[in-house]
Amino acid sequence: MLTKFKETAKFLSEKTKFEPEIGIILGSGLGGLADRIENAQAIAYEDIPNFPVSTVEGHSGKLIFGLLGGRKVVAMQGRFHYYEGYGMKEVTFPVRVLHFLGVKSIIVSNAAGGLNPKFRVGNLMLINDHINYFPENPLHGKNFKELGVRFPDMSKVYDPEYIKAAEKIAADNNIPIQKGIYIGSTGPTLETPAEYRLFRTFGADATGMSTVPEVIVAHHQGMRVFGMSVITNVSEPEDPEIETTHDEVQNVAGDAEPRMTTLITELIKVM
Ligand code: HPA
């Protein structure tokens, strides 16, 4: 695997002649931030050696290198989800490659279901902790010292300085935000009412089908992490007749995108 990470990073470095400092993973319906990247060089996943190929609707699947907020970034437009059938090593492969490209900080975004009864559809939630409810851990198997330690400390995964900076940016720009714990599970089913209650009992504030594997791997290799969820639906809707559909998730995420874009673009300047 190590050889593959390095081989892919070498390919990308040679092709782009660019050394990104910050990685961004764009979640469902949030790919539009990529349009703000200046001097952009985009490479489709299918043209990158060793990369898995994304299949889900709304995830177009490319790496975009360029400048955002004056910083050198590489954005993943489209990610690999466990529910698509990929293993944890495939889901997290791009994050390993980012490490070998020299990325030191990562912004991970997603669309999530709100569990906290105070949350409203369209809210942005800064992730301050997570629960790995996937049946696997992406660090399962042989550990390579070159990547990180065997037993990573997980007490401060979401960088408190980034959270503080994001809170200030949100306040300065009148962007309402929430803060909370993200629980990641496999999907592709959305939760039953009983599962929503279970996750709430666990102490989680939002639930989704991504992020946790990528964040574990990013943290393992020493990256500073900032995570953000767009709450696209809530577990206790005011109108219980409203069902959560993939279209709705995409639409709400699309509406929230300008706020997320402002927050991320401003945050990047101070990362
Ligand atoms: N559950 C899981 N994943 C999701 C949800 C949800 O309610 N909304 C958006 N992604």
Side-chain angles (χ1 to χ4, degrees), residues 111-114 182 185 189-191 196 207-209 230 232-234 244 249:
Y182 175 94
S185 71
T189 44
L190 295 155
E191 288 72 14
Y196 279 129
T207 171
M209 308 172 192
V230 175
T232 55
N233 55 285
V234 289
T244 303
V249 167

Side-chain angles (χ1 to χ4, degrees), residues 1-14 48-50 93 97 100:
M1 277 316 264
L2 260 184
T3 320
K4 283 194 175 172
F5 304 147
K6 289 179 187 173
E7 192 181 280
T8 304
K10 185 162 176 275
F11 167 86
L12 291 168
S13 295
E14 285 176 358
I48 305 174
N50 307 320
F93 184 83
V97 172
F100 287 102

Side-chain angles (χ1 to χ4, degrees), residues 138-151:
L139 305 186
H140 170 98
K142 181 175 162 58
N143 188 60
F144 295 95
K145 276 208 196 100
E146 199 180 333
L147 296 174
V149 297
R150 172 74 291 186
F151 301 107

